[in-house]
Amino acid sequence: MALPNIFSKEVSQQIIKRIDLLDSNSKPLWGKMDAAKMLAHCNVTYEMAFENIHPKPNFLVSLMLKTFVKKQVTSDALYPKNSRTAPAFIINSQKDFQKEKQRLLGYIQKTVDLGEDYFQGKESLSFGKLSKEEWNNMFYKHLDHHLNQFGV
């Protein structure tokens, strides 16, 4: 099953409309994150794609990620509820809902503006070079999973 193309304006606008349904008091249907932490958590994927603020995994961790995690993250198979998350994605501190929302919307727009060809063969911090389909799956299903978590 092919996932919707997050690089298209139509799909990204559908995601943005869902994000706009959230507010700082939105409650999850499962899990422990509040809405602000969820948005910050979703931003980590984009930080890893665009910012140089997360350390690159060492060789052993990188090998394990590529061998055991990459397919789950980059395939079109959806995440189950209450999936385990990587340590870099765990948000422990309080976050500002509006700030995290604006950051996420900016990252989504940047992704659309750059387009899928920019991502073809682009190096992932955790998984090495990915195809544009793998980047799409990683971006789209992560956002979709957490927006479903919050019922939007």
Side-chain angles (χ1 to χ4, degrees):
M1 166 185 90
L3 294 175
N5 185 352
I6 194 73
F7 301 114
S8 76
K9 288 181 183 178
E10 298 77 21
V11 171
S12 64
Q13 284 303 311
Q14 290 171 359
I15 292 289
I16 289 168
K17 285 179 185 176
R18 292 170 67 189
I19 293 169
D20 283 339
L21 294 172
L22 295 167
D23 65 41
S24 61
N25 296 313
S26 296
K27 302 288 184 221
L29 301 175
W30 73 86
K32 300 175 185 172
M33 289 187 284
D34 63 25
K37 286 182 180 181
M38 180 273 288
L39 293 172
H41 168 88
C42 288
N43 278 324
V44 173
T45 302
Y46 292 96
E47 290 169 358
M48 288 182 169
F50 296 127
E51 314 292 338
N52 190 20
I53 59 175
H54 294 278
K56 188 170 179 140
N58 66 39
F59 176 78
L60 183 58
V61 172
S62 183
L63 182 63
M64 290 176 50
L65 288 170
K66 289 175 186 175
T67 304
F68 299 109
V69 180
K70 178 182 175 181
K71 184 176 179 179
Q72 179 185 10
V73 172
T74 62
S75 73
D76 58 8
L78 300 179
Y79 296 128
K81 292 179 184 178
N82 294 310
S83 303
R84 289 194 53 173
T85 191
F89 288 80
I90 296 172
I91 309 297
N92 290 316
S93 61
Q94 293 301 319
K95 296 295 179 181
D96 178 279
F97 177 84
Q98 285 301 326
K99 180 181 175 187
E100 297 303 327
K101 178 180 174 182
Q102 291 310 309
R103 283 190 339 119
L104 184 55
L105 296 177
Y107 283 135
I108 292 169
Q109 188 59 54
K110 182 175 183 173
T111 301
V112 172
D113 290 346
L114 289 170
E116 63 187 5
D117 290 341
Y118 171 83
F119 289 92
Q120 182 61 40
K122 179 175 172 47
E123 185 94 10
S124 158
L125 190 65
S126 300
F127 306 121
K129 289 186 180 184
L130 300 178
S131 69
K132 61 187 177 186
E133 293 82 11
E134 290 172 317
W135 279 103
N136 175 72
N137 292 346
M138 185 166 58
F139 286 143
Y140 180 84
K141 79 178 183 179
H142 191 231
L143 289 171
D144 183 62
H145 174 79
H146 288 294
L147 293 173
N148 285 334
Q149 177 186 17
F150 278 79
V152 297

